[in-house]
Structures are given as C-alpha cells and as structure tokens.
C-alpha cells in the first residue's frame, strides 16, 4: 500500500497522454496532482492505493473507504468536462446506486464508486448485449425527463462542427476506397428528431460500461451532450466491440429503443465511416475490421431502399 503523504507522481504514460491532449499548459496541473489527490482523499476519509491508468483524458487513482470498499478518485484537467460528467452521473444514478460519492468543484475532482469492486467491473453476463441495450434505453428515458442541468454541449453542434467537417476533410485528402464512396451518401442521411432528444453518453466503448456485482451495467466516463438518442445507439452498435457482434447490438438497439432499422442505419453508417477514415489516417490496425463493419452496414442500407 502507498501512503497518501508519499503518493507518487502521475505515471509517465498518463503524463504524456495528457500533455499531448491538453498541451504544455497541463504540466503544472500534473505536477501538483499527487499532493492534491492526497489532500482531498484524506478529507473524504479515503486511503490512496495507487493509480489506475486506462487511457483516460483524466487521472484516476484507486483508494479504499473506511469500510474497505474500493473507490476511484478521479481528477479532470478541464473543469467544464468535470462539471458535465458529474452532472450526467448524478442524473442517471442518484439513490442507492449513486456513482458519485464526493466531489470538489474547485479542484475538479470526485470520488466515484468502483463498479464491481474492481477496475473493469464484475464478470459480464452471457446476454450482455440485451442487458446493456435495455439499460441504455432506461438512461435515455431519464435524460428526457431531466430537469435543470448545466448547459451541456449539443449533438447538433458536435455533428456540424466536428463530425461532418472531419469526414469531409479526410475524404478530400485521402484516396477514397470504393466502400467509402458508397458510404458517403448514406452518412449524410441521418436526421435529428427533437422528440428523441436526451442526455447522451456519447462514448459507449465497452470499457465505459462495466458491470456491478448485482449483474447490471453502469455507464461511466461519459462525454455528455444533448441530442438525438440515435447517436448513442449508433456509437454503441459500431464501437462497443469493433467488429464483434455488431449485428446483435444493432438488433437490440432497434428492439430496446423502438426504432426502425431504416432510421438507425444511416447513423450507424456515419459512425463507421468516421471511424474508417480515422483508422486509415492514423494507420490503425483495426482498419480492415472497421471496413468489414462498414461494408455490412452499407449493404443493409442499400437493401433497405429497394
């Protein structure tokens, strides 16, 4: 066990990742963090154990509460991102299942439940896809009934300012494959519907949906925004496990959300095309897997209009 007063520096990999993401201005924040982690954890009655570095755009330490339960102490370099994430977690989990156990708005730090009592959560059930789909639908229902929240970013702005220009710019600067050319028209066919507006998680990778010991999923590390639930369903379908059980997730999304296949397909094609062009630009080894996923989605979209 590491004593709080001697808590070590942020791991080198996390430091490099944060400096690359936030720029050199993050260095002072990173250097001061061990002392701040020790101080805030002592105030919350927690005993720091070590870092848990899993590629976050934040720093996470593990700690033990007075009753021996594991807790994640998370620190955000960006106060606004902290505020948005905490607001979403408090909206979704507010009673006995509360994820946020303590927070410090000035330092942008929070103590969060360690889902499943260990990093990565408890064992996943065989019918994981169905269970996660039903739970995500429930989350969206809560988001539609949300009262006052801090002003969250909107999906409309994210699509207009980030996703669409990113696809357009990469399509213009790379030699488009025949598959990407077929996908481009479909990727522009999604339409937002205000009736489906909710608080989106918007980062539904599998590692962000650990399971509790009770067998239910918990949605953590969101990038919350307000917008059409189809965005979450498409992201989950394509990225939860890239290239694995995509069709099963698509069917569960249609079932749980009550969407038509024809409605959801363009959102999925857009998400997969964005990923394909990114993987191609960065030389990601998952490029063939994403190409296969996009090919299947495009074929289904083309058949839906016949």
């Amino acid at each position: 066990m590491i004593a709080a007063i001697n808590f070590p520096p942020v791991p080198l990999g996390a430091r490099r990742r944060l400096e690359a993401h936030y720029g050199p201005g993050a260095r002072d924040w990173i250097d001061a963090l061990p002392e701040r982690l020790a101080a805030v954890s002592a105030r919350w009655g927690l005993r720091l154990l070590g870092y848990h570095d899993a590629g976050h755009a934040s720093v996470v330490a593990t700690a033990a509460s007075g009753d021996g339960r594991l807790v994640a102490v998370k620190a955000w370099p960006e106060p606004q991102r902290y505020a948005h994430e905490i607001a979403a977690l408090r909206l979704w989990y507010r009673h006995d299942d509360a994820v946020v156990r303590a927070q410090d708005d000035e330092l942008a730090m929070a103590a969060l439940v360690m889902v499943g009592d260990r990093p990565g959560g408890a064992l996943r059930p065989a019918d994981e896809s169905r269970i996660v789909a039903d739970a995500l639908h429930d989350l969206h229902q809560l988001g539609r009934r949300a009262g006052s929240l801090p002003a969250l970013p909107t999906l409309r702005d994210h699509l207009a300012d980030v996703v669409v220009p990113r696809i357009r710019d990469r399509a213009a600067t790379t030699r488009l494959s025949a598959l990407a050319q077929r996908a481009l028209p479909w990727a522009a066919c999604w339409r937002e519907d205000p009736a489906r507006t909710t608080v989106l998680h918007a980062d539904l990778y599998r590692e962000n949906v650990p399971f509790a010991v009770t067998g239910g999923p918990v949605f953590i590390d969101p990038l919350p925004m307000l917008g059409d639930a189809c965005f979450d369903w498409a992201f989950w379908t394509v990225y939860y496990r890239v290239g694995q059980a995509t069709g099963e997730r698509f069917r569960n999304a249609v079932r749980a959300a009550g969407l038509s296949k024809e409605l959801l397909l363009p959102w999925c094609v857009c998400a997969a095309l964005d990923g394909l062009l990114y993987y191609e630009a960065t030389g990601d080894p998952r490029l063939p897997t994403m190409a296969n996923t996009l090919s299947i989605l495009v074929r289904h979209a083309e058949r839906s209009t016949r």
Side-chain angles (χ1 to χ4, degrees), residues 2-3 6 55 72 81 88 113 137 150 154 167 171 187 211 213 240 258 262 276 294 299-300:
I2 302 169
N6 296 318
R81 184 165 178 167
V113 167
H137 176 65
T154 67
I167 290 175
F211 273 73
V213 292
Y240 189 75
E262 293 75 19
L276 179 83
L294 179 59
R299 286 203 303 272
H300 281 295

Side-chain angles (χ1 to χ4, degrees), residues 185-200:
W186 290 104
C189 285
W190 49 263
R191 293 291 181 269
E192 277 203 85
D193 185 342
R196 294 192 297 266
T197 295
T198 188
V199 177
L200 302 171

Side-chain angles (χ1 to χ4, degrees), residues 117-162:
D117 293 332
R118 65 179 185 180
L123 293 177
R124 296 170 182 271
D127 54 350
E128 175 182 355
S129 178
R130 178 188 63 79
I131 292 173
V132 172
D134 290 341
L136 181 57
H137 176 65
D138 291 343
L139 225 66
H140 287 161
Q141 293 294 89
L142 285 173
R144 292 189 182 99
R145 298 194 297 266
S148 60
L149 283 173
L152 294 175
T154 67
L155 175 62
R156 179 176 300 177
D157 288 344
H158 177 67
L159 291 171
D161 299 339
V162 179

Side-chain angles (χ1 to χ4, degrees), residues 44 72 74-76 78-93 99-105 108-112 149-150 152 221-224:
W44 291 337
K74 188 171 182 177
W76 289 257
E78 190 177 358
Q80 188 177 55
R81 184 165 178 167
Y82 154 83
H84 293 162
E85 184 168 333
I86 293 300
L89 291 175
R90 286 201 176 278
L91 166 68
W92 296 331
Y93 306 104
V99 170
V100 181
R101 294 302 173 92
Q103 66 188 87
D104 186 312
D105 294 341
M109 297 173 67
L112 310 174
L149 283 173
L152 294 175
D221 295 331
L223 293 173

Side-chain angles (χ1 to χ4, degrees), residues 34-103:
E35 183 177 349
R36 291 175 179 172
L37 281 169
V40 78
S41 296
R43 174 157 39 96
W44 291 337
L46 302 174
R47 186 176 77 258
L48 285 171
L49 303 174
Y51 290 100
H52 173 59
D53 186 22
H56 307 287
S58 57
V59 174
V60 178
T62 57
S65 61
D67 60 3
R69 299 291 296 274
L70 285 181
V71 176
V73 181
K74 188 171 182 177
W76 289 257
E78 190 177 358
Q80 188 177 55
R81 184 165 178 167
Y82 154 83
H84 293 162
E85 184 168 333
I86 293 300
L89 291 175
R90 286 201 176 278
L91 166 68
W92 296 331
Y93 306 104
R94 9 183 190 178
H95 301 297
D96 292 342
D97 62 349
V99 170
V100 181
R101 294 302 173 92
Q103 66 188 87

